[in-house]
Amino acid sequence: MGAQQGLVHIYTGTGKGKTTAAVGLCVRALGAGKQVYFTQFLKDGSSAEISQLRALGATVDIPPQQAKFFAAMTEAEKERCRTAQQRALAGAVAAAADYDLVVCDEIMAALALGTVKLDQVCALIDGRAPGCELVLTGRGAPAELVERCDYLSDIQCKKHPYEQGIAARRGIEY
């Protein structure tokens, strides 16, 4: 890793583009020869950008996910989901010692559901190598994380095609 000081980014809010912003930063870092680690929480890894991140040289680690929303899961499925989210967090913690850029996509959703804990995310921030840039995405960033970040992008939805009945489109929304 370079001697550059790593900073903490949070991309939050109700608007579209949090993951897209994180992926864009990954592409930029990869283009500059940096090592990139990307993990997702509560997503199944089927989004179109995942294969391209791998092709560009990023390490992408997405634990197996359930195909349904957390609230619709059985208790056994919820426990498997918690285990998968803890594995994703452990991977990010390990990567934060060696990689130039670590992205934890949708970690705010995992926090909101309690599949990861705030003190664990704070430990990730505090324990990363000095040159590790860390990106945390998802709606509803808690105040404790907002206080600790260096960049805060609050992306707000003002208008969305979903309101007109247009479904999510591959390559645009996912």
Side-chain angles (χ1 to χ4, degrees), residues 61-159:
D61 183 24
I62 302 173
Q65 307 292 327
Q66 295 290 327
K68 52 183 150 178
F69 289 110
F70 193 78
M73 292 179 190
T74 66
E75 283 308 311
E77 290 169 332
K78 286 179 180 179
E79 188 53 37
R80 284 193 296 276
C81 180
R82 284 184 198 96
T83 299
Q85 302 314 293
Q86 287 295 313
R87 185 178 97 47
L89 182 60
V93 167
D98 297 318
Y99 284 76
D100 300 302
L101 173 62
V102 173
V103 175
C104 295
D105 187 40
E106 289 299 342
I107 196 166
M108 302 307 172
L111 272 169
L113 291 172
T115 61
V116 299
K117 302 293 184 204
L118 182 60
D119 65 331
Q120 293 176 301
V121 180
C122 290
L124 168 63
I125 292 169
D126 295 341
R128 73 192 196 288
C132 179
E133 202 83 4
L134 179 63
V135 177
L136 310 172
T137 77
R139 293 176 182 222
E144 295 91 334
L145 295 182
V146 169
E147 289 173 18
R148 291 170 165 262
C149 73
D150 301 292
Y151 293 93
L152 176 63
S153 295
D154 189 2
I155 301 170
Q156 295 302 309
C157 182
K158 300 294 183 180
K159 186 175 181 180

